[in-house]
């Protein structure tokens, strides 16, 4: 997978005044001490506050910094960390609002979290936020206030809406709290994506207040650069080049201050500086510094940031802390400090350095945590620098030797006549000899240096494996096997052998047995997938057919199961539109119908207004609106399910579940209300399942609610919220696996083996519970590590057929497994 550098450009205009800074915008690369699972995640946090409460820039920065720290200290799944970050900001705003209630002041937050891991960008939207993604040939405007909520700080429940895009170089992403109408044409409909400068120019032509951040990825090593426009200029293109502060240790023979301050260049002539560089011998420490500098150096950006008039650079040998007039301030601990230049005293005031970094955006933020490849690159650069120097010496000595020695071997030649070597031969030797030296050095290092580190990590993995085998406590056994896999991950960065594969298989199998994980062989259903832009949000299956709801286009796809794969039906037509005088809007859920029904359809879809769309291969779709509700209207239908010819419809916005009694899958009679006087809090319910009189509701925070319908008038329908889930696995002691999961969909299998299935989309697994008692049976997942058949990213949809074929949709592909326990 590709790794991208990120360039971020804020857009901020308020009351006609342009600002270079954007309060609430924070970009952080993974710090050195990140929690497990966060070491490859880069975070861009965008927070826009609205309301009448006073919220200073320092207060906003404190909220965003605390949230970023919490994100990188939260282990486990990505969505779990993002959810806790959203809850942290919501709690901070809610506490602030509660303290100012008596004064009638409040502040609501519109939040976008963008987490970049390799070429995948996972988005979390809270409040009426907009995200526009423009790529070459495709665009998306991500905006759904029904799922993202009204904003943070208004209630204890923090709503968020998750989405995901796949990055390509030079794509453009805009994070917006306000989305002017003009931007629909200037931004979303722009293809291919424009540069940051061109996009900034077009978008700032819009009148009124603006509050947004533009992100553009480029191929690189995960470096983040936050830019500032020159608001003093009338046009972005008239700005000066950006100054980029790099976290790299440069050689002592280079005075980097002369590169940044033109006034210092006049104090030392350039020719003297160059002469000093050429005459200085290269020491071992300088080779290390050159290697680090070569591995981390980036080109300065082409965007303008006006130089800060308050920042003065030291020009003598005093410590920086003694000369900088800038005051100290707190800085987010999640952002790694720049390494001090060798030779500077240890008592340098780091707070002063932080102030300079904070006022001289953009800041290049990156993780200083050494990896095997980074260490190898540093050693290789060191070897090559030394090899080139040695090669030059050898080249000069060889040339002198040949000039003096070869003429002595030629008869009839004066011994004092030097041999003239052609220029092309000299050039060839100058190129070939350093390359040969470097190659030989690298081969020696690869054979002995890397192999030594590999053996050390492999031996540590063996020790932990033996410790796990001797343990009797399941919790300590679990931790030991986890360490075995971590050591093997590090060892295989240097070399992957049959020994590591065998040890990995043994440790993974024993860890799965402890954790109750049952791994299945999932098979890709389609040879070439469903198309790059297809995003399956819901699925329904019969014994021989699979139906998929495409969230991008809003239509239903059909595929026939052949026993070994699925064949896509390109002629199947089932999409929103006008049929028989009824207008069908965006479909929110689908279900497979029994083979025998009055309409002759095979799949049923429903829109938010209660219109039923019946479809079947080779037939024209039919629409039947549901009978109207008694004394009320639909809020927004979320999901529906069919059980024993009864249609249960979840309207979370109106806190209701309505039940239609049907005949042959048609529903002509008015519905009845499922709940009695006790109506549970289901405003954030996202899915439901029904078995007889038992109703199960899944909420956005992952909890379950259960209700039992009472058919006795004197006994009310009772609900349990939240319904307790039982985990009897001894190896789960000390951890809460339910809080680490991100449950997004639910299903219920048919007798004789009824099981409640919960989809953990982030970890690509399915939890299996017994009905009513909700005791965890096991987890179903694909093979781990490199043997995983799934694409990267969360699972978008899940369904199970009546003959127990489990389907999972990931990205633009569907996977199925037939050997369900």
């Amino acid at each position: 997978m590709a790794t991208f550098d990120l360039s971020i450009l804020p857009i901020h205009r308020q009351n006609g005044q342009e600002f270079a800074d954007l309060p609430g915008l924070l970009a952080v690369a993974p710090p050195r001490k990140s929690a497990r699972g966060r070491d490859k995640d880069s975070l861009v946090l965008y927070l826009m506050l609205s309301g009448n409460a006073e919220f200073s820039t320092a207060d906003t920065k404190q909220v965003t910094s605390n949230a970023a720290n919490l994100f990188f200290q939260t282990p486990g799944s990505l969505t779990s960390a993002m959810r806790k970050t959203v809850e942290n900001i919501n709690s901070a705003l809610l506490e602030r609002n509660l303290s100012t209630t008596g004064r009638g002041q409040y502040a609501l937050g519109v939040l976008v979290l963008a987490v970049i891991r390799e070429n995948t960008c996972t988005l979390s939207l809270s409040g009426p936020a907009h995200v526009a993604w423009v790529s070459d040939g495709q665009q998306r405007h991500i905006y759904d206030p029904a799922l993202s909520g009204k904003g943070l700080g208004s209630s204890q429940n923090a709503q968020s809406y998750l989405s995901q895009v796949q990055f390509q170089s030079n794509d453009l992403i805009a994070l917006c709290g306000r989305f002017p109408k003009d931007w629909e044409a200037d931004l979303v409909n722009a293809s291919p994506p424009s540069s940051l400068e061109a996009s900034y120019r077009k978008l700032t032509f819009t009148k009124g207040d603006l509050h947004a951040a533009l992100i553009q990825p480029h191929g690189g090593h995960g470096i983040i650069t936050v830019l500032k426009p020159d608001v003093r200029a009338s046009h972005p293109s008239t700005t000066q080049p950006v100054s980029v502060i790099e976290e790299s240790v440069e050689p002592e023979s280079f005075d980097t201050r002369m590169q940044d301050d033109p006034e210092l260049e006049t104090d030392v002539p350039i020719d003297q500086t160059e002469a000093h560089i050429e005459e200085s011998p290269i020491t071992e420490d300088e080779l290390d510094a050159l290697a680090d500098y070569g591995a981390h150096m980036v080109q300065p950006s082409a965007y303008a940031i006006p130089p800060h008039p308050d920042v003065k650079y030291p020009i003598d040998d005093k410590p920086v802390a003694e000369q900088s007039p800038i005051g100290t301030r707190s800085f987010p601990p999640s952002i790694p400090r720049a390494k001090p230049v060798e030779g500077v005293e240890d008592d340098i005031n780091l707070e002063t350095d932080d102030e300079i970094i904070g006022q001289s955006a953009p800041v290049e933020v990156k993780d200083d945590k050494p990896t095997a490849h980074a260490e190898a690159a540093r050693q290789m650069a060191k070897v090559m620098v030394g090899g080139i120097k040695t090669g030059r010496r050898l080249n000069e000595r060889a040339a002198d030797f040949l000039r003096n020695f070869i003429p002595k071997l030629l008869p009839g030649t004066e011994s004092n006549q030097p041999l003239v070597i052609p220029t092309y031969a000299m050039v060839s030797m100058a190129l070939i000899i350093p390359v040969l030296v470097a190659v030989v050095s690298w081969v020696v290092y690869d054979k002995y240096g890397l192999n030594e580190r590999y053996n050390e990590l492999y031996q540590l993995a063996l020790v932990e494996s033996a410790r796990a085998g001797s343990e009797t406590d399941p919790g300590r056994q679990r931790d030991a096997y986890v360490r075995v896999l971590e050591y093997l991950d590090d060892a295989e960065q240097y070399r992957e052998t049959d020994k590591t594969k065998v040890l990995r298989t043994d440790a993974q199998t024993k860890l799965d047995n402890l954790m109750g994980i049952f791994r299945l062989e999932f098979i890709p259903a389609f040879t070439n997938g469903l198309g790059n832009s297809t995003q399956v949000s819901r699925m329904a299956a019969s014994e021989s057919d699979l139906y998929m709801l495409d969230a991008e286009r809003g239509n239903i796809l059909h595929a026939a199961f052949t026993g070994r794969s699925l064949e896509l039906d390109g002629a199947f037509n089932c999409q929103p539109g006008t049929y028989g005088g009824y207008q069908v809007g965006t479909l929110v859920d689908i279900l497979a119908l029994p083979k025998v029904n009055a309409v002759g359809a095979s799949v049923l879809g429903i829109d938010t207004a209660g219109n039923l769309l019946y479809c079947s291969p080779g037939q024209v779709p039919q629409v039947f609106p549901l009978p109207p509700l008694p004394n009320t209207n639909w809020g927004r239908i979320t999901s529906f399910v069919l059980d024993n010819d009864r249609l249960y419809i979840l309207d979370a916005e109106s806190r209701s579940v309505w039940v239609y009694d049907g005949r042959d899958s048609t529903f002509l009679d008015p519905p009845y209300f499922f709940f009695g006087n006790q109506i549970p809090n289901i405003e954030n319910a996202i899915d439901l399942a029904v078995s007889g009189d038992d109703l199960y509701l899944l909420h956005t925070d992952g909890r379950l609610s259960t209700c039992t319908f009472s058919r006795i008038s004197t006994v009310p329908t009772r609900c349990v919220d939240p319904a307790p889930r039982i985990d009897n696995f001894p190896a789960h002691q000390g951890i809460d696996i339910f809080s680490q999961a991100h449950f997004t969909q639910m299903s219920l299998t048919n007798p004789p083996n009824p099981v409640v299935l919960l989809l953990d989309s982030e970890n690509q697994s399915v939890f299996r519970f017994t009905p009513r008692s909700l005791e965890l049976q096991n987890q179903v997942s694909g093979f781990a590590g490199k043997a995983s058949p799934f694409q990267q990213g969360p699972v978008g949809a899940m369904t199970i057929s009546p003959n127990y074929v489990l389907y999972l949709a990931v990205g633009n592909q569907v996977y199925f497994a037939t050997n369900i326990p």
Side-chain angles (χ1 to χ4, degrees):
M1 288 292 181
T3 303
F4 292 97
D5 293 342
L6 301 179
S7 298
I8 304 175
L9 182 63
I11 301 177
H12 188 196
R13 181 195 298 157
Q14 188 172 358
N15 298 328
Q17 176 67 37
E18 304 280 352
F19 297 93
D21 293 320
L22 184 64
L25 176 63
L26 180 64
V28 188
R32 182 177 305 174
K33 294 183 179 180
S34 300
R36 186 183 181 190
R38 305 283 77 79
D39 54 339
K40 296 181 180 179
D41 295 337
S42 297
L43 172 67
V44 178
L45 189 153
Y46 169 87
L47 175 65
M48 187 189 79
L49 298 176
S50 61
N52 57 2
E54 294 183 1
F55 226 97
S56 65
T57 302
D59 293 338
T60 305
K61 183 175 182 179
Q62 184 68 30
V63 171
T64 56
S65 300
N66 291 341
N69 291 339
L70 176 63
F71 174 81
F72 285 107
Q73 297 305 318
T74 302
S77 66
L78 173 59
T79 53
S80 175
M82 297 177 74
R83 183 168 62 251
K84 290 185 178 180
T85 304
V86 173
E87 292 173 351
N88 177 267
I89 296 178
N90 181 70
S91 299
L93 296 179
L94 181 61
E95 182 179 356
R96 179 71 172 263
N97 289 338
L98 293 176
S99 65
T100 59
T101 302
R103 301 192 298 270
Q105 297 179 350
Y106 71 95
L108 296 180
V110 177
L111 175 68
V112 179
L113 299 180
V115 179
I116 296 90
R117 180 186 297 175
E118 295 177 341
N119 67 331
T120 301
C121 178
T122 304
L123 300 163
S124 173
L125 286 71
S126 298
H130 299 256
V131 175
W133 170 56
V134 184
S135 184
D136 191 6
Q138 52 184 329
Q139 308 86 24
R140 281 184 67 188
H141 182 190
I142 303 172
Y143 172 67
D144 195 335
L147 296 179
S148 57
K150 300 178 181 179
L152 301 181
S154 60
S155 67
Q156 293 182 351
N157 294 327
Q159 288 187 254
S160 60
Y161 168 47
L162 293 176
S163 185
Q164 194 174 74
V165 297
Q166 300 295 323
F167 265 162
Q168 297 180 17
S169 185
N170 298 320
D171 282 3
L172 185 67
I173 281 191
L175 314 180
C176 318
R178 303 186 183 97
F179 194 81
K181 295 181 180 180
D182 297 345
W183 285 14
E184 188 74 28
D186 295 338
L187 185 62
V188 179
N189 296 332
S191 182
S194 305
S195 64
L196 280 180
E197 181 182 10
S199 300
Y200 183 90
R201 185 186 306 115
K202 289 192 300 183
L203 299 180
T204 52
F205 282 155
T206 302
K207 297 181 180 179
D209 293 347
L210 300 177
H211 197 286
L214 303 179
I215 305 175
Q216 191 161 52
H218 307 279
H221 304 285
I223 298 172
I224 301 177
T225 305
V226 181
L227 309 175
K228 287 187 180 180
D230 188 355
V231 297
R232 300 174 302 174
S234 59
H235 200 280
S237 60
T238 62
T239 56
Q240 306 171 14
V242 169
S243 300
V244 179
I245 300 177
E246 302 177 2
E247 292 185 8
S248 57
V249 180
E250 300 185 9
E252 293 179 356
S253 58
F254 289 93
D255 190 353
T256 58
R257 293 171 296 180
M258 292 189 295
Q259 301 175 9
D260 298 331
D261 195 340
E263 296 179 0
L264 296 179
E265 295 185 8
T266 60
D267 298 336
V268 181
I270 295 177
D271 55 349
Q272 295 179 15
T273 305
E274 293 177 352
H276 171 69
I277 293 172
E278 293 177 357
E279 294 174 3
S280 300
I282 300 179
T283 65
E284 183 73 14
D285 294 335
E286 291 174 350
L287 288 178
D288 287 338
L290 276 173
D292 282 340
Y293 179 72
H296 297 88
M297 185 180 67
V298 296
Q299 295 295 330
S301 172
Y303 286 93
I305 294 180
H308 200 287
D310 297 333
V311 179
K312 297 181 180 180
Y313 296 89
I315 58 176
D316 54 22
D317 296 332
K318 295 181 180 181
V320 179
E322 297 180 9
Q323 298 194 23
S324 175
I326 303 174
T328 61
R329 66 174 179 129
S330 60
F331 202 71
S334 61
I335 300 179
R337 300 291 196 271
K339 297 180 181 178
V341 179
E342 185 177 354
V344 181
E345 297 179 12
D346 293 334
D347 59 348
I348 291 179
N349 190 344
L350 293 179
E351 296 296 325
T352 304
D353 292 343
D354 290 343
E355 181 67 22
I356 296 175
I357 293 176
Q359 297 191 18
S360 301
V363 178
E364 177 185 317
V365 186
K366 64 183 180 180
D367 187 3
D368 288 335
K369 180 181 179 180
T371 62
H373 295 292
E375 177 66 17
R378 191 187 74 83
Q379 294 293 338
M380 184 60 185
K382 175 181 175 181
V383 169
M384 291 186 66
V385 172
I388 292 173
K389 185 177 179 67
T390 304
R392 288 176 178 174
R393 294 199 191 102
L394 293 176
N395 190 21
E396 293 173 357
R397 293 178 182 176
D400 292 340
F401 173 78
L402 292 175
R403 288 192 186 98
N404 297 326
F405 178 74
I406 293 181
K408 298 178 181 180
L409 302 179
L410 301 177
T413 305
E414 296 293 337
S415 60
N416 58 352
Q417 182 179 359
L419 177 65
V420 179
I421 301 178
T423 302
Y424 68 86
M426 298 289 291
V427 173
S428 299
M429 286 189 294
L431 295 177
I432 295 174
I433 292 178
V435 172
L436 289 176
V437 172
V439 170
V440 172
S441 302
W442 172 251
V443 170
V444 173
Y445 174 72
D446 179 68
K447 183 176 182 180
Y448 296 102
L450 295 181
N451 191 58
E452 180 180 354
R453 181 58 179 161
Y454 159 81
N455 288 331
E456 178 184 351
L457 292 170
Y458 180 71
Q459 291 301 322
L460 291 173
L462 288 177
V463 171
E464 290 297 333
S465 179
R467 179 180 290 120
S470 62
E471 284 286 356
T472 57
D473 180 70
R476 290 195 291 266
Q477 274 189 320
R478 174 201 67 209
D479 295 338
Y481 283 125
V482 169
R483 288 192 293 270
V484 171
L485 297 176
E486 290 176 347
Y487 284 131
L488 290 177
D489 289 338
D490 295 337
E492 289 180 345
Q493 293 186 38
Y494 298 95
R495 184 166 288 108
E496 183 176 352
T497 64
D498 293 337
K499 294 190 299 183
T500 61
K501 293 179 182 179
V502 171
L503 185 57
R504 177 182 294 278
T505 301
D506 178 72
Q508 187 69 65
T509 301
K510 293 178 179 178
L511 180 62
D512 290 344
N513 292 335
L514 287 171
M515 300 298 290
I517 299 176
F518 190 85
R519 300 196 181 273
L520 301 176
E521 181 182 0
F522 281 88
I523 303 172
F526 306 102
T527 304
N528 299 318
L530 294 170
N532 294 330
S533 61
T534 303
Q535 293 290 332
V536 178
S537 60
R538 292 281 184 173
M539 291 193 297
S542 62
E543 289 85 350
S544 57
D545 297 278
L546 176 67
Y547 300 94
M548 301 153 284
L549 177 59
D550 185 358
E552 289 292 323
R553 300 180 180 88
N555 62 315
I556 300 177
L557 306 176
H558 168 243
F561 186 62
T562 63
R564 295 184 178 180
S565 63
L566 289 169
E567 183 177 353
L568 193 63
D569 183 4
F572 185 73
N573 177 30
C574 189
Q575 58 186 349
T578 303
Y579 305 96
Y582 295 106
Q583 176 67 35
V584 178
T586 302
L587 301 178
V588 295
D589 201 358
I590 60 175
L591 57 83
L593 293 173
K595 290 186 177 181
V596 179
N597 57 78
V599 186
S602 57
V603 63
L604 176 64
I606 190 171
D607 64 5
T608 57
N611 294 308
L612 299 179
L613 180 64
Y614 292 81
C615 299
S616 184
Q619 296 184 9
V620 177
Q622 301 180 62
V623 179
F624 295 94
L626 286 170
L629 301 177
N631 303 322
T632 186
N633 296 317
W634 292 110
R636 189 178 190 277
I637 294 176
T638 307
S639 179
F640 74 148
V641 67
L642 185 65
D643 181 70
N644 293 328
D645 220 9
R646 286 192 180 94
L647 191 66
Y648 295 78
I649 300 179
L650 169 64
D651 185 354
E653 185 174 289
S654 300
R655 296 180 59 191
S656 59
V657 173
W658 295 95
V659 185
Y660 287 86
D661 287 325
R663 290 185 295 274
D664 295 333
S665 301
T666 60
F667 310 95
L668 305 176
D669 299 329
Y672 61 87
F673 193 59
F674 183 86
F675 305 111
N677 295 328
Q678 179 194 6
I679 303 177
N681 183 14
I682 61 172
E683 291 181 348
N684 61 352
I686 56 177
D687 207 352
L688 81 164
V690 177
S691 176
D693 291 333
D694 295 329
L695 174 71
Y696 303 85
L697 292 170
L698 174 65
H699 300 261
T700 55
D701 58 4
R703 78 179 193 275
L704 282 176
S705 300
T706 59
C707 301
T708 301
F709 182 74
S710 175
R711 301 186 180 277
I712 303 175
S713 58
T714 57
V715 179
T717 296
R718 301 188 183 277
C719 297
V720 179
D721 182 26
R725 290 169 293 201
I726 302 174
D727 182 4
N728 289 326
F729 284 88
H732 292 172
Q733 61 182 356
I735 61 174
D736 184 1
I737 63 171
F738 302 134
S739 64
Q740 297 178 4
H742 181 215
F743 297 126
T744 57
Q745 289 187 12
M746 177 171 55
S747 183
L748 189 63
T749 61
N750 296 327
N753 184 24
V755 177
V756 177
L757 303 179
L758 292 183
L759 171 63
D760 180 5
S761 62
E762 176 65 24
N763 297 308
Q764 298 180 337
S765 65
V766 177
F767 284 63
R768 302 174 73 246
F769 296 87
T770 56
R772 295 206 171 188
S773 64
L774 293 180
E775 179 180 353
L776 178 64
Q777 293 185 357
N778 52 35
Q779 301 177 53
V780 175
S781 180
F783 293 110
K786 297 180 180 179
S788 174
F790 301 123
Q791 301 177 9
Q792 287 193 346
V795 179
M798 168 196 71
T799 191
I800 188 167
S801 66
N803 53 343
Y804 294 96
V805 178
L806 179 63
Y807 297 90
L808 299 179
V810 185
N812 65 343
Q813 181 63 275
V814 175
Y815 304 85
F816 67 92
T818 56
N819 50 343
I820 307 297

